[in-house]
Amino acid sequence: MDIQKIRQDFPILSRTVYGRPLIYLDNAATTQKPRCVVEAISEEYYSVNANVHRGVHFLSQQATDLHEAAREAVRRFIHARSTSEIVFTRGTTESINLVAGSFGEAFLQEGDEIIVSEMEHHSNIVPWQLLQERKGVKLRVIPISDSGELDLQAFASMLSGRTRLVSIAHVSNVLGTVNPVADIVRLAHEAGARVLVDGAQSTPHIPVDMQALDADFYAFSGHKLYGPTGIGVLYGKEELLRQLPPYQGGGEMIKHVRFSGTDYEDPPLRFEAGTPDYIGTHALARALDYVGQIGLDRIADYEHRLLAYATERLSAIPGLRIFGRAPQKSAVLSFLVGDIHPFDTGTLLDRLGIAVRTGHHCAQPLMDRYGISGTVRASFAFYNTTEEIDTLAEGIERIRKMF
Ligand code: PLP
């Protein structure tokens, strides 16, 4: 991979911060956008813009074609069987809320159990807690080891006839752990439970294949995948989506509305009430195309080397503690330096032009598990370099000496 050439596709990477070259290591929060994605947005606004699905006129049909072509691009990217399985949402959070609102309302009852894990993002905890309040379902939590791996034995022993859903992150946004989701799907299915996989942190880094994985639902966000903000995806198996009631009501999701009762559209439109973000879907397709041209296998391989390099460099710093030591990890490195508050480390690194994230990373139960209030998190993308990691390590050394 020619990283210097790739970096030229991302104009923001050549800017400076406090007079220093920007080193952007906050990719787990959101990724930067290649020029082609930004251009896809302006091109469509300048020359195609019209509302989709409802118009007979030329522009509306062209916009509809681009929007539906984006659905096909997503289907290809995650190797789903059909575009009927691709629901556009605002992002992972909305995708999970959609499942909680629709599947949860229709299929779950008091006493039914949902299994999550200790390493989940709040987006994969709070929707289930809201359902708990509405319906009296029970939330059970898979513990993790000190190294940040799921306790699969504990998981297997939690599964029972009461388990209706297992909702689990493919990759942890704090620890980087790549969870054995295929095993989890198999075990859950043997127990008769459905599985939702939170793919917010997997889709940017590793190839995913819906047909091979066999999960019932899979959620992810465009903005973490080099696409625009405000667009995301819920994959759902077609036979399952067909059984689910709508999540929100409005235009686009109906076949026929009468005051005596309304017929709903088939999936995926049944779950897409209102004008969709058709500019966002088109730009997301451009992002997937861009990522596809580099190749997720090559991205995974390169980022793996970056992570190994960063782990080695940072481990050599006295007093630095890394959280997340699973053998299968994605490009995320969470750490604390001695007893320096993560906010201080982050603020001082910022002055050196280095953007990292500090705090609980929307995973407060995970922070409780480790008995900490937060960490510093450096998260990598394929446009990052070992030189940037050197600057990060030197910056941390300086901060450590200051304290
Ligand atoms: N799940 C995980 C593992 C995440 O890392 C994130 C975002 O950081 C989310 C869910 C929520 O994603 P979004 O804010 O794009 O809906």
Side-chain angles (χ1 to χ4, degrees):
M1 274 165 61
D2 185 346
I3 303 301
Q4 288 315 321
K5 190 158 167 285
I6 284 174
R7 287 178 68 86
Q8 285 167 17
D9 294 335
F10 294 82
I12 204 170
L13 296 179
S14 53
R15 70 162 287 176
T16 55
V17 173
Y18 306 115
R20 292 171 185 269
L22 168 68
I23 296 181
Y24 186 76
L25 302 178
D26 194 17
N27 295 286
T30 199
T31 50
Q32 299 302 345
K33 315 305 168 198
R35 191 177 274 110
C36 63
V37 167
V38 182
E39 283 172 359
I41 295 168
S42 55
E43 278 165 16
E44 192 172 3
Y45 273 127
Y46 283 140
S47 59
V48 182
N49 182 47
N51 207 334
V52 292
H53 291 149
R54 282 172 284 207
V56 291
H57 63 82
F58 184 88
L59 288 189
S60 176
Q61 288 187 8
Q62 203 174 2
T64 304
D65 288 348
L66 288 176
H67 181 62
E68 291 305 324
R71 210 186 293 277
E72 167 58 18
V74 172
R75 185 205 64 75
R76 232 179 301 122
F77 187 76
I78 62 171
H79 199 225
R81 275 192 186 79
S82 147
T83 49
S84 305
E85 302 183 313
I86 309 299
V87 179
F88 285 121
T89 64
R90 284 190 299 122
T92 309
T93 303
E94 188 176 45
S95 297
I96 298 174
N97 277 280
L98 194 165
V99 176
S102 174
F103 174 83
E105 286 299 331
F107 287 96
L108 301 192
Q109 291 161 7
E110 187 170 351
D112 285 345
E113 294 182 359
I114 299 172
I115 299 180
V116 297
S117 86
E118 236 170 0
M119 68 171 84
E120 298 311 314
H121 188 281
H122 296 164
S123 292
N124 195 23
I125 299 174
V126 185
W128 310 120
Q129 290 179 325
L130 292 170
L131 195 63
Q132 196 168 26
E133 284 168 23
R134 288 202 301 273
K135 302 212 68 170
V137 296
K138 195 168 162 202
L139 205 55
R140 304 199 59 186
V141 184
I142 311 170
I144 62 165
S145 65
D146 289 345
S147 61
E149 290 167 271
L150 292 178
D151 182 340
L152 284 184
Q153 269 187 344
F155 168 59
S157 69
M158 278 177 194
L159 287 165
S160 76
R162 286 186 302 275
T163 315
R164 289 283 168 274
L165 181 73
V166 177
S167 192
I168 208 89
H170 196 159
V171 171
S172 158
N173 65 315
V174 179
L175 306 168
T177 312
V178 181
N179 287 319
V181 281
D183 293 337
I184 290 168
V185 169
R186 189 175 40 78
L187 287 168
H189 283 172
E190 280 168 14
R194 298 285 188 176
V195 182
L196 186 162
V197 177
D198 172 351
Q201 298 295 342
S202 52
T203 40
H205 302 292
I206 50 179
V208 296
D209 182 328
M210 291 307 109
Q211 294 180 56
L213 181 60
D214 199 34
D216 301 285
F217 300 108
Y218 200 95
F220 60 98
S221 300
H223 70 97
K224 296 189 196 282
L225 237 175
Y226 310 94
T229 54
I231 191 74
V233 174
L234 174 69
Y235 158 85
K237 280 184 183 161
E238 188 172 353
E239 49 89 16
L240 181 55
L241 290 183
R242 283 192 179 281
Q243 298 173 50
L244 298 188
Y247 161 61
Q248 293 177 333
E252 300 271 343
M253 50 75 73
I254 50 88
K255 277 186 175 143
H256 199 111
V257 179
R258 299 170 221 90
F259 280 114
S260 55
T262 288
D263 300 326
Y264 306 124
E265 262 293 3
D266 295 328
L269 295 186
R270 185 186 299 168
F271 307 102
E272 296 180 354
T275 298
D277 182 2
Y278 54 87
I279 305 280
T281 56
H282 171 54
L284 173 62
R286 197 66 76 83
L288 299 184
D289 184 47
Y290 180 85
V291 168
Q293 278 179 26
I294 300 175
L296 267 166
D297 285 320
R298 288 165 73 206
I299 289 173
D301 182 55
Y302 176 72
E303 290 179 349
H304 198 258
R305 280 184 282 135
L306 275 185
L307 178 70
Y309 185 78
T311 305
E312 196 185 321
R313 281 296 314 246
L314 267 59
S315 297
I317 298 172
L320 188 142
R321 258 197 308 161
I322 290 175
F323 295 84
R325 290 279 195 178
Q328 297 294 324
K329 266 191 76 169
S330 174
V332 171
L333 203 55
S334 274
F335 59 91
L336 286 173
V337 192
D339 54 6
I340 307 172
H341 196 281
F343 184 74
D344 292 334
T345 310
T347 306
L348 291 164
L349 286 174
D350 178 50
R351 287 279 154 182
L352 302 173
I354 304 169
V356 290
R357 189 144 292 245
T358 64
H360 56 62
H361 315 294
C362 294
Q364 283 175 331
L366 180 63
M367 299 297 115
D368 292 343
R369 158 67 180 79
Y370 285 104
I372 55 179
S373 64
T375 72
V376 184
R377 182 185 73 185
S379 52
F380 308 103
F382 54 74
Y383 43 59
N384 291 125
T385 64
T386 50
E387 290 76 24
E388 289 180 319
I389 292 168
D390 288 337
T391 310
L392 170 70
E394 286 153 19
I396 297 170
E397 265 297 1
R398 273 175 65 178
I399 294 164
R400 189 181 71 83
K401 286 185 181 139
M402 269 170 64
F403 278 80

